[in-house]
Amino acid sequence: MRRLRKTDTNLNNESIEGWNVIRKVAPYLWPAGETGVKVRVVLALAMLLVAKLISVATPLFYKHAVDALSAEADPALWLGMGAVGLTVAYGMARLMNVGLSQLRDAVFAPVGQRALRRLAYETFVHIHSLSMRYHITRKTGGLSRIIERGVKGVDFLLRFLVFNMGPLVLELLLVAGILFYLFDVWYLAVVVLTIALYVWFTFAVTEWRVKIRKKMNDQDTEANQKAIDSLLNFETVKYFAAERWEADRYDRAMEGYEQAALKTSYSLSFLNFGQSFLITSGLVAVMVMAAVGVQNGGLSVGDFVMVNAYMIQITMPLNFLGSVYREIRQAMIDMSEMFTLLGQPAEITDKPGAKPLAVSGGTIALKDVSFGYEAERPILRGVDIEVPAGKTIAIVGSSGSGKSTIGRLLFRFYDVNDGALTIDGQDVRDVTQESLHQQIGVVPQDTVLFNDTIYYNIAYGRPDASEAAIIAAAKAAKIHHFVMSLPSGYDTAVGERGLKLSGGEKQRVGIARTLLKNPPILLLDEATSALDTDTEREIQAELKAMGQGRTVITIAHRLSTISDADEIIVLENGKIVERGKHEALLTRNGRYAQLWQRQAADEEEAA
């Protein structure tokens, strides 16, 4: 396998080595401890070898049948068969070649599909294991394209490199040996020269074409990303009457793709003509040599026919070499991007030997916590908070004060830079992430739903829950009667990101989902700030009931919703500037009182 050039790079703009990519694929085709898979691989390769041997022997039947019919040889000379028998043997050989090839594909298909499935699964799982920091800097459309192309690249590599390119090389060697043995070295020299020129020309032109293809892929990814981004923000596009702007932006990306695609098409025509010229030249040269041999009496008509059959036999697969080589090169790039993604280290990982989180009461403590998404931009500075088991604290402050960051640290989307965050005395860095996430329920500002049914979205809180438990959660969230009023009831599809439901309906589905999960710790991240006042009041009652008997952290924007909290924490510039109960903070006439008065004035002005 040749080393791919610098123009072919992975996600990190590093040059790609074909052997490295193949070494990463090999374990999926030859998995340790799975004898059944290995047996299938061996059987498929054995059938491949037998099929090629039969394929190379087929023209010999053809030659002797022609000689027998032309009376240039004894009809029963070869293998004791006459012209009819040789013709039948020729047909049987062709049929066996095709049959073994199809049987080989059938035997190997489960191996290939299993490898593709494992690769896709591992990539998908790995993407979910990557940090929040990685996902907010990556484009979802680009990620989906990398997975799609990578899996297709593996599929192509299996089908063409293993069952086309390898057999082609084997067939060329066998045919070259037969020509040398049955005729003379000049036939072999012409065939070798033709193949060498053909391969050189094909590789040289394809190297040029791969650069164009990579540019075309980049334009395709860009256009796809713009389309996905626009469709995900459908409402925003409508709000600003930006349909024409979005269409023009997409069209500009497609214009670059069109230009690269045209260059690809033109270069393909040049490649095909050059390949045909070289192959035809070699074929004619060998046939002329054979024709002269027949005229001189050194060869029979059957020899002439056999030489022609062998040349056609090796030139037909060579015609696909250009496209196959280009696709293999592209598959290597696509697979390298996928393996680079698989090699992307997870920022947040479980410690070796990490134990599940054991929640006895649900006491949460932030001990002198400092954190920043970037080293030069601190968000939290020495924050100390303790939430006793079963109590509710509210965190308030102006935008950028670090309120939502505390929620992300609680879920361990990020690790603290200094200090510690503990639950019942256990540092969240010392327990498994899965157990941590299972013990915390969250109702965010904007509940995002899956494009599935209401039933599916509620059941997502606990997929193994019974139907009765799901309905009970819906009733507790005051959404059951609304659901039953819909024509399809719980089977109603909510649309992309839940857009078919109103904000209040989505929040209630989110509350039902979290109630079904039944976690001991609850995080309300500005859960009602996106709702109107009437809906907010309705939802607030459900949230209050939901917090009974749980440890609750409420990140609040509207201060009226947290006046009954056991403690209110006021953050400014990542530091706690005030803390206490609602009435005491108002009496203090400090930062909290300023925020309260400002909101009251805003609400009065709005009214």
Side-chain angles (χ1 to χ4, degrees), residues 222-236:
E222 182 182 349
N224 180 67
Q225 176 58 41
K226 284 181 169 56
I228 290 177
D229 199 31
S230 180
L231 293 174
L232 286 176
N233 293 281
F234 173 80
E235 284 187 80
T236 305

Side-chain angles (χ1 to χ4, degrees), residues 441-482:
V442 61
V443 181
Q445 177 179 357
D446 180 22
T447 296
V448 177
L449 303 180
F450 292 93
N451 190 4
D452 210 302
T453 64
I454 292 176
Y455 186 95
Y456 175 86
N457 278 282
I458 295 177
Y460 201 78
R462 184 156 50 92
D464 60 347
S466 66
E467 183 177 347
I470 291 168
I471 293 175
K475 287 179 178 178
K478 303 295 192 295
I479 189 76
H480 175 71
H481 292 300
F482 163 74

Side-chain angles (χ1 to χ4, degrees), residues 496-556:
E496 190 85 35
R497 297 173 65 85
L499 291 177
K500 290 184 180 180
L501 302 181
S502 69
E505 291 157 1
K506 283 200 299 181
Q507 287 299 79
R508 282 193 169 95
V509 171
I511 291 170
R513 181 165 65 188
T514 304
L515 282 170
L516 186 66
K517 184 179 181 181
N518 194 28
I521 298 169
L522 190 60
L523 173 66
L524 306 178
D525 191 355
E526 304 197 46
T528 60
S529 63
L531 305 177
D532 61 80
T533 304
D534 290 339
T535 306
E536 179 188 39
R537 286 172 182 162
E538 295 173 4
I539 297 291
Q540 201 63 41
E542 277 96 67
L543 291 175
K544 187 173 182 180
M546 186 180 184
Q548 294 298 318
R550 294 183 170 91
T551 303
V552 182
I553 295 180
T554 299
I555 297 168

